[in-house]
């Protein structure tokens, strides 16, 4: 791994780290203000496929987070970029609220499958349609493969189990574009101009947020909010650089020890 440099950029997960659906993590807004006052560039990275970037931004503004659209990098953006690069016509197995992020993409007579979190569409008929496309040679593009995520009423299945089912049934491997893929983190950092060795990632998912970031060369801070479960930090090697109670505690550590 490259030598560690002075910290210049902080990547922050959204759902589970700054907020859980329509409720902010206590103290997160003030902590973000303190982080912005320091000499670091802040970016927000999310695997969410439940809503478009615009809807997500409106949710964050209602929660009084000072975040602009160009600071958010989503796995939906990464998926659209890949669809355009490959010049395919995707069957979009995504939540209807995420469709605006694919405006202008041709979906007639699909020859690819793009799958995200789509609870209303994960039924036999649509999954079987995707299965048949894959058998005919269509590529499977997974926006991410998270096992589960945090809702207000508890943990819920993510898209990962459904992606894995299609992989198993068709004997294919999905192209994964979201966290924990190295290309996702590098793309999120690209407009900052900084290297992974100059960045830290804060998130509630030990594998996708912290493991993915650390495999890219960043430091990873795991917070015990959102989807965190006891002993999650033992599930990756190397373990997180730091495990702490919440986003405000992560910011305190950065300000006191990394700058």
């Amino acid at each position: 791994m490259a030598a560690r440099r002075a910290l210049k950029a902080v990547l922050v997960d959204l759902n589970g780290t700054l907020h859980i659906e329509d409720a902010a993590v206590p103290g997160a807004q003030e902590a973000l203000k303190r982080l912005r006052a320091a000499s670091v560039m802040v970016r927000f990275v999310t695997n969410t496929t439940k809503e478009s970037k615009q809807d997500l931004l409106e949710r964050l503004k209602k929660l009084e987070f000072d975040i602009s659209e160009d600071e958010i990098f989503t796995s939906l953006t990464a998926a659209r970029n890949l669809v355009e690069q490959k010049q395919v016509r995707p069957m979009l197995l995504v939540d209807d609220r995420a469709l605006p992020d694919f405006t202008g993409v041709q979906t007639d007579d699909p020859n690819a499958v793009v799958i995200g979190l789509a609870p209303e569409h994960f039924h036999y008929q649509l999954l079987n349609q995707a299965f048949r496309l894959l058998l005919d040679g269509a590529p499977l593009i997974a926006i991410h493969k998270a096992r589960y995520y945090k809702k207000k009423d508890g943990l819920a299945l993510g898209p990962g189990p459904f992606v894995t089912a299609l992989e198993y049934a068709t004997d294919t491997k999905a192209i994964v574009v979201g966290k924990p893929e190295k290309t996702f983190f590098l793309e999120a950092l690209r407009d900052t101009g900084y290297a992974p060795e100059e960045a830290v990632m804060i998130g509630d998912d030990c594998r996708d947020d912290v493991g993915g970031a650390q495999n890219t060369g960043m430091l990873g801070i795991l917070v015990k909010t959102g989807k965190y479960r006891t002993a999650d930090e033992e599930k990756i090697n190397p373990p997180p650089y730091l495990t702490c109670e919440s986003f405000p505690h992560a910011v305190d550590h950065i300000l006191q020890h990394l700058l």
Side-chain angles (χ1 to χ4, degrees), residues 127-181:
L127 287 169
N128 202 48
Q129 184 182 336
F131 163 74
R132 290 174 175 174
L133 283 171
L134 298 174
L135 283 184
D136 287 340
L140 176 60
I141 298 171
I143 299 178
H144 62 91
K145 286 183 75 174
R147 294 165 169 82
Y148 50 83
Y149 68 104
K150 178 75 171 191
K151 295 181 66 175
K152 284 182 287 189
D153 61 354
L155 294 176
L157 278 173
F162 300 93
V163 175
T164 301
L166 289 171
E167 289 179 317
Y168 174 76
T170 59
D171 201 22
T172 58
K173 289 297 290 181
I175 304 165
V176 184
V177 295
K179 297 177 288 185
E181 297 305 303

Side-chain angles (χ1 to χ4, degrees), residues 4 21 38 68 70 72 82 85 112 119 141 151 189-190 199 204 215 234 236 252 254:
R4 174 78 29 208
E21 294 190 315
S68 62
D70 61 358
I72 301 174
L82 184 61
Q85 287 169 21
I141 298 171
K151 295 181 66 175
L189 271 181
R190 190 157 60 94
D204 67 316
N215 287 340
E234 298 172 10
I236 61 170
D252 288 342
I254 289 170

Side-chain angles (χ1 to χ4, degrees), residues 12 54 77-78 109 120 131 137 184 252 255:
V12 185
Q54 198 56 47
T77 303
D109 189 23
E120 301 302 316
F131 163 74
F184 178 89
D252 288 342
L255 297 180

